[in-house]
């Protein structure tokens, strides 16, 4: 008893020593180095209490080698009490940020056992945490085994560490097994498993456990605390449940947590992801203290809710308040610039990230690549990609998507091939980035190749990859193959239905699109705005006016979807294409929003089809105001005047175009043959087979004339009839078809792509060509597909 009392008095005396007080106040490694000579001078280095304190401080400040020197050289072997071993092991565990340093911690643990020091429960919790932080499952399982061997399998503290380990290593189901086996649980246990589910993106389970925790644990000490709240709120945000978010917000207010910055930041995130960005902003504006995470959350909230302009204004406000951005802030600012297509602000953010020395952060540079791609500066993005060190698959995918989104089909395919050659394993995002490029190429042979690649690389069960394939086949003219894939899918997303409905519509199979839409409405997947745009457009291509009208009303009445400008444009196209021009013009006048270019463009196109000069002139005047640099609208108006034989007015439009320097987009047709794409322009003679093509085409024109074809010369004047026919016969699609007929065997289907709308004369001629040659000819123009067979077209002459 006297010995224990004497030790306690000695400990009190040592702790009151001025040097001991300095150690307690020490805040940095530099200060510790200044205090250390005082420790030695005062002979305090001989006492194990100071040994323990020095070990703890060196470990805390990240200087583990110096902690090891204290343990190995300053402390005599006979004076190494157990607490020194435990402190040293804790230091190793806290500084084990890599696999090698974790190995050092394990080596010391083994040494501790060899030296006869019995492990205590905290040794295992430190090691388990280190394994979890390093996602080292293999070593973590070994420590778990030691927990069991040392008799701590029922210990609350050690088993919390085990649950945390498995959750951090993404084995949340294994973590749940450990949790369920625990004979007793405290609040830390509940928080650990809830956080595990939330961090592993299993939000529903996290919320279920949150509810169960409150139901089962009635004791005050086990009610949700600050840690519980900041763990469960991200789960609430992930599922977008506003009702649950508000309930937790109410609990936060009652518990007095609303003033805490991490709780308020989590609430900002919840309300933003639930679409209540105004409420999120209110919480943000009333925060007494904001950290950079708070700014990131509110900026991201505006970006995610489609208000990138406000997001950038907040970003500027953040800079004005001298809050230093993190890599996350920069990525969100770049995302906002990308959404706005604001290259100027994007370049400013680029300069800022260089000043912040974030150019070596691959995630930031990936966002920069995406920003430049969305701002149509693919050349700059490609240069950044080429110079980027430590490229990840995300880097490759960002560049691939950039090429695809900008219509650079060949660079996209070359990029994909380069990725494959470098043995980089693609993921589903890679596939849904490259498949649309092949869809744009519209070559069935290439479509089959990528389909085979998807099958070989085991992406056949990915709903988004399979949706991309459905869309691709439809855009390559193989709509029946697209439907077969659609029917084979076990799971379908709303985009899957949209792709198939749109595929039917662009192929002129409006009734099939209507039937499929009806089937969709019977299921659990609700149509979205794209669905209605697809079905209304499908009705437009097939003349299903009443059905289209009904769907336009249904989208708001039954589904609460507000029509966008694209929906209004589709309705004008539906009515105008059907010849109901006055109703279409009245529809435009009564729109609740200011009509855009696509609305007046649809109106002008309809007037061109139905030769309506008066409304066509009104629509054209609006288009000239909205987009004065687009020559295509002038050409359409000139065509309307030409078909009405109003030559003076037509001449005025042409003269106006010349004065403004506006150019007509030249007609271009492409045909794929033996791994090579052949391009033809109207009247071009640059192709190696040009002479042969023109000779063959002359004979072919005679054959279809004999079958009943009559050239439409009304669109050409000021030349004699022979020259008119010669100009018509040299249109790009006729040259492409003649090339295809010359270079393929009888019975082969010919696939043609046209960059403009198929003209009336070519459409009529192609019907007769399919009749006299016995060939099926598939033409994809800028709006739809035409399947010519046996003298008829799938559009029924309604396009």
């Amino acid at each position: 008893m006297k010995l224990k009392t004497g030790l306690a008095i000695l400990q009190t005396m040592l702790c009151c020593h001025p040097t001991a007080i300095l150690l307690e106040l020490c805040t940095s490694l530099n200060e510790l180095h200044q205090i250390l000579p005082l420790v030695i001078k005062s002979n305090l280095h001989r006492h194990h209490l100071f040994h323990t304190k020095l070990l703890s401080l060196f470990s805390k400040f990240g200087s583990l080698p110096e902690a090891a020197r204290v343990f190995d050289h300053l402390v005599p072997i006979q004076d190494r009490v157990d607490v020194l071993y435990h402190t040293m092991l804790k230091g190793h565990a806290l500084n084990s940020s890599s696999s090698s340093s974790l190995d050092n911690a394990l080596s010391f643990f083994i040494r501790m056992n060899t030296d006869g020091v019995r492990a205590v429960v905290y040794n295992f919790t430190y090691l388990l945490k280190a394994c979890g932080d390093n996602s080292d499952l293999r070593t973590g399982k070994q420590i778990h085994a030691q927990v069991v061997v040392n008799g701590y399998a029922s210990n609350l503290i050690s088993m919390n560490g085990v649950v945390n380990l498995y959750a951090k290593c993404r084995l949340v189901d294994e973590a749940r097994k450990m949790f369920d086996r625990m004979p007793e649980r405290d609040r830390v246990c509940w928080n650990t498993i809830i956080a595990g589910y939330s961090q592993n993106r299993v939000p529903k389970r996290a919320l279920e456990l949150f509810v169960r925790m409150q139901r089962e644990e009635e004791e005050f000490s086990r009610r949700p605390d600050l840690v519980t709240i900041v763990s469960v709120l991200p789960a609430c945000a992930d599922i977008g449940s506003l009702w649950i978010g508000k309930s937790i917000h109410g609990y936060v207010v009652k518990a007095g947590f609303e003033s805490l910055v991490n709780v308020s930041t989590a609430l900002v995130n919840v309300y933003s992801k639930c679409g209540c960005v105004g409420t999120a902003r209110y919480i943000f504006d009333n925060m007494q203290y904001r950290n950079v995470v708070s700014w990131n959350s509110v900026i991201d909230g505006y970006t995610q809710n489609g208000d990138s302009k406000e997001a950038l204004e907040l970003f500027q406000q953040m800079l004005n308040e001298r809050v230093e951005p993190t890599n996350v802030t920069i990525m969100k600012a770049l995302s906002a610039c990308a959404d706005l297509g604001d290259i100027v602000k994007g370049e400013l953010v680029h300069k800022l990230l260089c000043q912040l020395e974030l150019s070596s952060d691959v995630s930031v540079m990936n966002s920069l690549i995406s920003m430049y791609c969305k701002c149509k500066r693919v050349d700059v993005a490609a240069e950044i990609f080429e110079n980027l060190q430590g490229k990840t698959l995300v880097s490759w995918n960002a560049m691939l998507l950039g090429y695809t989104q900008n219509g650079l089909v060949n660079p996209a395919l070359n990029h994909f091939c380069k990725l494959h050659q470098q043995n980089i394993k693609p993921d589903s995002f890679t596939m849904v980035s490259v498949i649309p490029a092949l869809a744009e190429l519209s070559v069935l042979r290439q479509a089959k190749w990528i389909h085979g690649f998807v099958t070989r690389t085991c992406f056949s069960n990915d709903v988004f990859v399979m949706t991309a394939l459905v869309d691709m086949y439809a855009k390559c003219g193989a709509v029946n193959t697209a439907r077969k894939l659609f029917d084979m899918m076990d799971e379908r997303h709303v985009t899957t239905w949209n792709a198939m409905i749109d595929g039917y519509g662009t192929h002129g199979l409006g009734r099939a699109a209507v039937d499929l839409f009806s089937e969709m409405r019977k299921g659990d997947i609700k149509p979205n705005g794209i669905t209605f745009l697809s079905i209304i457009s499908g009705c437009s291509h097939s003349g299903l006016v009443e059905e289209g009208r009904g769907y336009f009303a249904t989208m708001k009445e039954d589904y609460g979807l507000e029509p966008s400008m694209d929906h209004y444009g589709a309705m004008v196209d539906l009515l105008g294409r059907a010849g109901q021009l006055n109703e279409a013009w009245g529809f435009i006048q009564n729109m609740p929003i200011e009509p855009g270019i696509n609305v007046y463009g649809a109106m002008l196109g309809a007037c061109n089809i139905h030769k309506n000069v008066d409304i066509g002139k009104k629509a054209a005047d609006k288009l000239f105001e909205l987009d004065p640099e687009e020559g295509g609208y002038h050409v359409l108006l000139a065509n309307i005047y030409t078909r009405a034989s109003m030559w003076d007015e037509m001449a005025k439009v042409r003269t106006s175009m010349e004065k403004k320097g506006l150019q007509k987009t030249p007609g271009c047709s492409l045909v794929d043959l033996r791994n090579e794409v052949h391009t033809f322009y109207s009247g071009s003679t640059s192709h190696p087979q040009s002479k042969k093509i023109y000779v063959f085409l002359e004979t072919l024109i005679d054959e279809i004339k004999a079958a009943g074809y009559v050239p439409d010369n009304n669109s050409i004047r000021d030349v004699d009839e022979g020259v008119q026919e010669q100009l018509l016969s040299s249109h790009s699609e006729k040259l492409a078809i003649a090339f295809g007929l010359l270079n393929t065997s009888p019975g082969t289907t010919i696939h043609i792509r046209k960059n403009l709308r198929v003209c009336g004369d070519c459409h009529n001629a192609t019907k007769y060509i399919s009749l006299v040659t016995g060939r099926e000819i598939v033409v994809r123009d800028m709006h739809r597909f035409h399947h010519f067979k046996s003298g008829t077209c799938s559009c029924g002459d309604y396009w």
Side-chain angles (χ1 to χ4, degrees):
M1 184 69 180
K2 288 182 179 179
L3 177 60
K4 288 183 179 180
T5 303
L7 288 172
I9 293 171
L10 176 62
Q11 182 173 343
T12 302
M13 291 173 61
L14 289 171
C15 291
C16 292
H17 194 283
T19 307
I21 296 172
L22 285 174
L23 285 174
E24 288 296 331
L25 297 174
C26 184
T27 59
S28 69
L29 186 62
N30 184 47
E31 290 180 3
L32 181 57
H33 284 152
Q34 293 175 10
I35 298 169
L36 193 56
L38 295 176
V39 173
I40 298 171
K41 185 177 179 180
S42 304
N43 270 335
L44 294 175
H45 64 284
R46 300 182 184 279
H47 299 284
H48 78 270
L49 292 176
F50 277 84
H51 297 157
T52 305
K53 188 63 180 177
L54 288 174
L55 287 178
S56 179
L57 287 172
F58 277 124
S59 298
K60 177 183 176 181
F61 299 139
S63 184
L64 202 60
E66 290 183 287
R69 281 200 293 273
V70 171
F71 183 87
D72 291 327
H73 303 297
L74 195 61
V75 184
I77 296 176
Q78 64 274 14
D79 293 340
R80 291 177 188 164
V81 294
D82 288 4
V83 68
L84 289 175
Y85 281 93
H86 300 323
T87 304
M88 191 65 209
L89 180 63
K90 178 182 178 182
H92 275 293
L94 292 176
N95 288 276
S96 56
S97 57
S98 65
S99 57
S100 59
S101 54
L102 182 56
D103 289 341
N104 292 335
L106 294 174
S107 297
F108 188 83
F109 178 70
I110 294 169
R111 174 184 172 183
M112 190 174 79
N113 290 331
T114 304
D115 290 351
V117 179
R118 186 179 184 277
V120 296
V121 66
Y122 292 104
N123 299 147
F124 298 113
T125 57
Y126 295 141
L127 290 172
L128 286 166
K129 184 179 184 304
C131 292
D133 291 342
N134 284 278
S135 298
D136 190 337
L137 181 61
R138 178 176 170 275
T139 305
K141 285 184 174 180
Q142 293 174 351
I143 303 300
H144 183 187
Q146 287 295 314
V147 168
V148 176
V149 168
N150 283 270
Y152 293 116
S154 298
N155 182 277
L156 193 62
I157 297 172
S158 64
M159 292 312 295
N160 272 340
V162 172
V163 172
N164 182 63
L165 162 76
Y166 287 117
K168 287 281 184 68
C169 291
R170 300 187 179 279
L171 293 178
V172 68
D173 289 338
E174 196 67 27
R176 179 62 181 271
K177 289 178 184 177
M178 298 299 109
F179 175 82
D180 289 340
R181 290 173 187 171
M182 296 173 72
E184 62 171 318
R185 306 182 188 101
D186 61 3
R187 187 159 51 191
V188 176
C189 302
W190 287 97
N191 289 349
T192 302
I193 191 64
I194 289 170
Y197 275 123
S198 183
Q199 291 164 2
N200 283 280
R201 296 300 179 93
V202 192
K204 288 185 178 179
R205 292 286 182 86
L207 290 169
E208 287 169 4
L209 278 170
F210 176 68
V211 173
R212 180 180 156 191
M213 173 187 181
Q214 297 176 82
R215 186 172 63 245
E216 293 186 6
E217 307 293 353
E218 296 296 336
E219 295 181 30
F220 179 78
S221 62
R222 296 178 184 175
R223 292 176 188 172
D225 64 356
L226 171 64
V227 177
T228 322
I229 296 302
V230 297
S231 297
V232 77
L233 279 173
C236 183
D238 284 343
I239 66 169
S241 176
L242 183 60
W243 179 79
I244 298 176
K246 286 183 175 180
S247 299
I248 298 175
H249 190 178
Y251 181 85
V252 164
V253 174
K254 290 178 182 177
F257 294 145
E258 71 270 23
S259 62
L260 300 174
V261 63
N262 52 352
V263 174
S264 295
T265 299
L267 285 170
V268 168
N269 185 45
V270 169
Y271 281 109
S272 294
K273 289 190 175 178
C274 291
C276 297
V277 70
T279 305
R281 180 62 179 271
Y282 178 81
I283 294 170
F284 175 81
D285 287 341
N286 286 278
M287 290 173 67
Q288 294 179 354
Y289 170 74
R290 305 172 188 138
N291 57 22
V292 68
V293 180
S294 312
W295 285 95
N296 290 348
S297 293
V298 72
I299 289 170
D300 185 53
Y302 276 107
T303 303
Q304 295 297 325
N305 284 276
D307 193 351
S308 294
K309 184 178 179 181
E310 185 65 25
L312 286 179
E313 289 179 3
L314 272 167
F315 175 66
Q316 185 59 54
Q317 183 183 335
M318 175 185 174
L319 297 178
N320 294 341
E321 294 188 17
R322 300 187 180 282
V323 179
E324 184 170 312
T326 64
N327 59 342
V328 175
T329 322
I330 294 297
M331 288 190 285
K332 295 186 186 308
L334 288 170
S335 176
C337 293
D339 290 342
L340 293 170
D342 193 333
I343 187 67
V344 175
K345 288 182 180 175
E347 288 173 339
L348 292 174
V349 178
H350 186 179
K351 289 180 182 177
L352 178 60
L353 74 87
C354 292
Q355 294 170 7
L356 294 169
E357 298 182 350
L358 292 172
S359 299
S360 59
D361 188 314
V362 176
S363 296
V364 170
M365 299 309 285
N366 291 342
S367 296
L368 188 63
I369 289 169
S370 296
M371 184 277 291
Y372 276 115
C373 287
K374 287 189 177 179
C375 291
K376 303 187 184 303
R377 288 304 307 272
V378 188
D379 55 332
V380 179
E383 184 179 353
I384 294 170
F385 175 82
E386 291 301 324
N387 295 323
L388 181 62
Q389 299 297 315
K391 296 181 185 74
T392 64
L393 180 58
V394 177
S395 315
W396 286 88
N397 288 346
M399 196 66 241
L400 177 59
L401 183 61
Y403 282 130
T404 300
Q405 289 175 333
N406 284 276
L408 301 171
V409 175
N410 289 328
L413 298 179
N414 291 336
H415 185 80
F416 178 74
C417 291
K418 187 177 179 181
L419 178 150
H420 188 56
Q421 289 165 2
Q422 294 192 15
N423 294 319
I424 299 172
K425 188 177 180 181
D427 62 3
S428 58
F429 193 87
T430 317
M431 304 314 300
V432 297
S433 298
V434 72
I435 291 172
L438 288 166
E440 186 63 30
L441 192 61
S442 194
V443 176
L444 191 57
R445 171 179 49 79
Q446 295 276 23
K448 291 178 179 178
W449 171 80
I450 200 68
H451 187 183
F453 184 88
V454 165
T455 303
R456 291 192 302 273
T457 48
C458 303
F459 287 115
S460 300
N461 292 323
D462 188 290
V463 62
F464 297 105
V465 174
M466 295 306 293
T467 297
L469 286 179
V470 168
D471 183 63
M472 176 192 67
Y473 273 116
K475 288 179 177 175
C476 289
V479 68
N480 292 331
T481 305
R483 182 57 191 263
K484 287 178 182 178
L485 282 182
F486 178 88
D487 290 338
M488 289 168 58
M489 293 173 67
D490 295 326
E491 178 190 3
R492 299 187 188 110
H493 191 266
V494 64
T495 55
T496 317
W497 290 90
N498 293 350
M500 195 64 243
I501 291 169
D502 184 66
Y504 275 136
T506 55
H507 282 268
L509 302 171
R511 186 55 61 187
V514 167
D515 292 342
L516 186 62
F517 181 62
S518 297
E519 183 182 337
M520 178 186 184
R521 294 179 70 182
K522 294 175 184 176
D524 297 328
I525 298 176
K526 291 184 178 180
N528 60 15
I530 302 297
T531 318
F532 280 100
L533 181 61
S534 298
I535 190 62
I536 294 170
S537 297
C539 291
S540 177
H541 286 305
S542 297
L544 303 176
V545 179
E546 292 307 315
E547 289 86 343
R549 277 201 191 100
Y551 294 137
F552 185 78
T554 294
M555 68 179 291
K556 186 171 184 179
E557 292 173 1
D558 295 350
Y559 295 95
L561 297 170
E562 286 292 335
S564 69
M565 192 67 71
D566 287 335
H567 294 103
Y568 287 112
M571 278 301 295
V572 171
D573 187 66
L574 172 81
L575 298 170
R577 198 180 292 270
Q580 300 178 22
L581 301 179
N582 290 325
E583 183 180 349
W585 186 250
F587 179 87
I588 293 174
Q589 304 310 304
N590 292 313
M591 280 175 56
I593 57 176
E594 192 67 28
I597 290 174
N598 63 330
V599 174
Y600 286 116
M603 190 73 253
L604 183 61
C607 291
N608 182 45
I609 293 171
H610 297 287
K611 307 174 186 178
N612 189 304
V613 176
D614 293 337
I615 298 178
K617 179 66 168 61
K618 293 177 185 177
D621 288 341
K622 290 289 186 179
L623 286 166
F624 298 160
E625 291 177 17
L626 293 171
D627 192 359
E629 302 301 317
E630 175 54 55
Y633 304 131
H634 292 75
V635 172
L636 271 178
L637 181 59
N639 289 344
I640 292 173
Y641 285 138
T642 299
R643 298 178 73 176
S645 298
M646 298 174 66
W647 307 114
D648 291 340
E649 295 299 325
M650 183 273 287
K652 288 179 183 178
V653 175
R654 296 290 185 184
T655 302
S656 175
M657 287 181 66
E658 290 176 7
K659 287 181 179 179
K660 295 176 181 178
L662 303 179
Q663 298 290 325
K664 174 190 175 184
T665 303
C668 171
S669 295
L670 298 88
V671 58
D672 177 73
L673 184 69
R674 303 185 188 97
N675 297 325
E676 186 176 357
V677 177
H678 297 261
T679 305
F680 297 90
Y681 291 90
S682 294
S684 64
T685 57
S686 58
H687 194 276
Q689 296 185 28
S690 283
K691 290 183 179 179
K692 190 177 179 181
I693 290 169
Y694 277 101
V695 170
F696 176 76
L697 194 54
E698 187 176 349
T699 304
L700 185 61
I701 295 296
D702 289 339
E703 289 183 34
I704 63 175
K705 280 183 178 179
Y709 163 68
V710 178
D712 179 9
N713 297 331
N714 292 330
S715 61
I716 303 172
R717 68 183 294 265
D718 296 335
V719 293
D720 60 39
E721 186 175 340
V723 176
Q724 288 176 340
E725 290 190 17
Q726 188 177 358
L727 292 173
L728 285 173
S729 64
S730 63
H731 277 192
S732 65
E733 48 263 68
K734 292 190 180 79
L735 297 176
I737 291 170
F739 171 79
L741 291 170
L742 280 169
N743 291 276
T744 57
S745 57
T748 305
T749 300
I750 297 171
H751 291 263
I752 306 294
R753 281 173 290 147
K754 176 75 185 291
N755 67 328
L756 302 176
R757 182 178 183 271
V758 173
C759 77
D761 181 75
C762 284
H763 188 272
N764 191 34
T766 307
K767 287 196 296 182
Y768 281 101
I769 292 172
S770 70
L771 177 65
V772 301
T773 61
R775 298 284 198 101
E776 182 177 358
I777 303 169
V778 180
V779 178
R780 175 186 173 183
D781 71 9
M782 66 184 298
H783 295 302
R784 60 172 299 157
F785 278 89
H786 298 265
H787 292 256
F788 298 93
K789 189 175 183 180
S790 303
T792 61
C793 179
S794 59
C795 74
D797 297 335
Y798 188 89
W799 89 104

